[in-house]
Amino acid sequence: MRGMKTRLRLTLCISFILFVYPTAGANAQATPEEGAQQFAELGDLKLQSGDVIQDFRLGYRTLGKLNAQKSNAILWPSWLGGKSADLLQFVGAGKVVDTVSNFVVLVDAIGNGVSTSPSNSKKQALMNFPSFSIRDMVEAEHRFVTEVLHLSHLHAVMGISMGGMQTFEWVVTYPEFMDLGVPMFGSPQSTSFDKLLWTAQIDAIELDPAWNHGHPTGPLRLGFVVSEEIGQMNLTSPAYRVAKTNPKDFDAYLAELKKHAVGDGGLASDQIRQRQAIISLDIPGEFGVTLPELAKRVRAKLLVVVSPQDHLVNPIPAQQFAAAIGAPIIILDSPCGHISLECISAGPRVAKFLAESASVRSETLHDPANQ
């Protein structure tokens, strides 16, 4: 009898502990691994147009630890069609952003198929998904940073290509929110050449018979093939393609492109909506000022990275922006064009700038392959 009472007390004690502290074990198991995909539920996301993305959730990954002062957070949004997973290659010991001293937050931009997008929205699927802008991407990220991460300041915002566009938007929309900004191969304003490129890719997709005016009847192939050809033609430079692909090997090169150029209506909708966001990019127009006047809103220190041979995102607006405030600019002179970071090592200079231990001067770096 005494043994039964003892077991009963023990059972009641354990039950009390589990009742009072029910989440202790669950929280220990729920702690995500370094760099694991996570999601922030933000509810309805009101867009600049007045439209709303329903049940919006933002994908993200974190690496490193936030310090006690909450002063070491770096936000890095994804590029066009890119995912936060694609950015992991730049983060870690000895890379562009180290995780020893920084808390790095990689973000999936609206419409990339990870965050709420035309391809995965249950309530606003495909082209029923509202058009959004680069500014809307930034507003979603700002809500995430303040409401979910509970941060009122960032050490830096940085990004490549469309991530660089978001960086420009961040530093003028929330000028006091970060210490540093590093837009790489981005722009504060789409030029007529940029608009022509993105429009051509959208037209190629929409001309695919399977697209059926936004009501897909099956897999799209023709539209994706043409869009991919246009994209590859502009991703680098004529000199790059001539050097990399012998005329005799062109058919094989084209066949490889065609083999991978296939997608469904969801992917097509994602691509169209993100490209429309870039086409509409006009940050000076948002504020009703000229580009030089816009640059004067910046309070953060900027390091701008461009390539004069970039045929995907015209570098001129970024260069004018940097000149207006005297920000250092790294010019990567390479036939690799938009992907010049793959051909010229600018990582150490960016890392040095982020460390804020020393200033980085403007300079032109030449592709070693052309020396």
Side-chain angles (χ1 to χ4, degrees):
M1 187 73 177
R2 184 178 298 174
M4 289 180 62
K5 290 182 179 180
T6 301
R7 286 195 297 272
L8 180 59
R9 289 195 200 97
L10 181 60
T11 301
L12 290 173
C13 183
I14 292 173
S15 298
F16 175 77
I17 292 172
L18 290 176
F19 178 76
V20 176
Y21 305 104
T23 60
N27 285 342
Q29 294 176 354
T31 302
E33 293 183 6
E34 178 105 330
Q37 182 73 66
Q38 301 181 66
F39 292 94
E41 306 291 341
L42 298 180
D44 287 350
L45 178 67
K46 187 173 182 180
L47 306 177
Q48 295 296 303
S49 65
D51 288 334
V52 174
I53 298 177
Q54 300 174 33
D55 298 336
F56 182 77
R57 70 175 190 165
L58 190 77
Y60 69 100
R61 299 167 189 269
T62 64
L63 300 96
K65 293 184 178 180
L66 186 65
N67 61 21
Q69 297 75 30
K70 295 186 176 182
S71 61
N72 66 332
I74 295 179
L75 184 77
W76 191 331
S78 60
W79 54 64
L80 174 67
K83 314 269 192 299
S84 58
D86 299 323
L87 301 174
L88 291 172
Q89 62 185 302
F90 302 108
V91 181
K95 297 184 179 181
V96 178
V97 184
D98 79 85
T99 52
V100 175
S101 56
N102 295 303
F103 175 61
V104 186
V105 184
L106 309 177
V107 181
D108 291 285
I110 303 174
N112 77 337
V114 176
S115 288
T116 303
S117 308
S119 63
N120 61 26
S121 174
K122 294 179 180 179
K123 295 183 178 180
Q124 299 165 294
L126 304 181
M127 299 310 286
N128 289 322
F129 199 87
S131 297
F132 52 85
S133 65
I134 301 297
R135 174 69 174 272
D136 291 322
M137 295 177 185
V138 169
E139 293 299 344
E141 292 155 11
H142 182 263
R143 280 192 57 191
F144 159 65
V145 169
T146 55
E147 297 175 16
V148 179
L149 298 183
H150 303 292
L151 297 176
S152 58
H153 194 79
L154 294 167
H155 176 54
V157 178
M158 61 191 299
I160 299 172
S161 192
M162 192 180 77
M165 298 173 193
Q166 292 168 78
T167 303
F168 277 117
E169 190 85 63
W170 259 102
V171 299
V172 297
T173 304
Y174 296 101
E176 306 287 350
F177 204 87
M178 73 293 298
D179 301 317
L180 308 172
V182 188
M184 297 174 279
F185 308 101
S187 177
Q189 186 177 48
S190 287
T191 67
S192 56
F193 183 84
D194 298 316
K195 293 174 184 287
L196 180 61
L197 166 63
W198 306 121
T199 300
Q201 287 193 301
I202 291 173
D203 287 347
I205 293 173
E206 292 183 338
L207 286 171
D208 191 310
W211 175 244
N212 190 33
H213 307 290
H215 304 282
T217 56
L220 281 72
R221 184 167 185 81
L222 178 62
F224 276 103
V225 167
V226 178
S227 179
E228 181 68 12
E229 290 172 355
I230 295 170
Q232 286 297 317
M233 187 167 61
N234 288 273
L235 184 63
T236 55
S237 69
Y240 178 92
R241 184 49 53 208
V242 169
K244 293 292 183 179
T245 307
N246 189 291
K248 297 180 197 177
D249 302 324
F250 179 74
D251 289 343
Y253 166 72
L254 190 60
E256 189 66 19
L257 285 183
K258 290 181 177 180
K259 184 169 69 174
H260 299 288
V262 63
D264 58 18
L267 178 59
S269 300
D270 288 349
Q271 291 196 359
I272 290 172
R273 284 291 188 246
Q274 282 202 334
R275 281 163 175 75
Q276 289 172 336
I278 295 176
I279 290 171
S280 67
L281 176 65
D282 181 12
I283 306 179
E286 291 175 23
F287 291 89
V289 297
T290 64
L291 190 62
E293 290 172 338
L294 177 75
K296 293 177 182 178
R297 290 180 57 88
V298 176
R299 296 293 177 268
K301 294 180 181 179
L302 255 60
L303 174 65
V304 178
V305 181
V306 300
S307 171
Q309 299 190 58
D310 191 339
H311 295 274
L312 203 68
V313 177
N314 189 279
I316 293 175
Q319 291 173 297
Q320 292 175 335
F321 191 96
I325 56 174
I329 183 166
I330 303 298
I331 299 175
L332 304 184
D333 190 6
S334 167
C336 296
H338 195 65
I339 58 171
S340 287
L341 280 176
E342 296 182 13
C343 304
I344 303 177
S345 178
R349 288 163 178 80
V350 175
K352 178 181 178 182
F353 180 77
L354 290 172
E356 209 176 10
S357 59
S359 61
V360 174
R361 60 184 174 81
S362 297
E363 60 182 312
T364 299
L365 304 180
H366 297 279
D367 193 335
N370 294 331
Q371 297 298 302

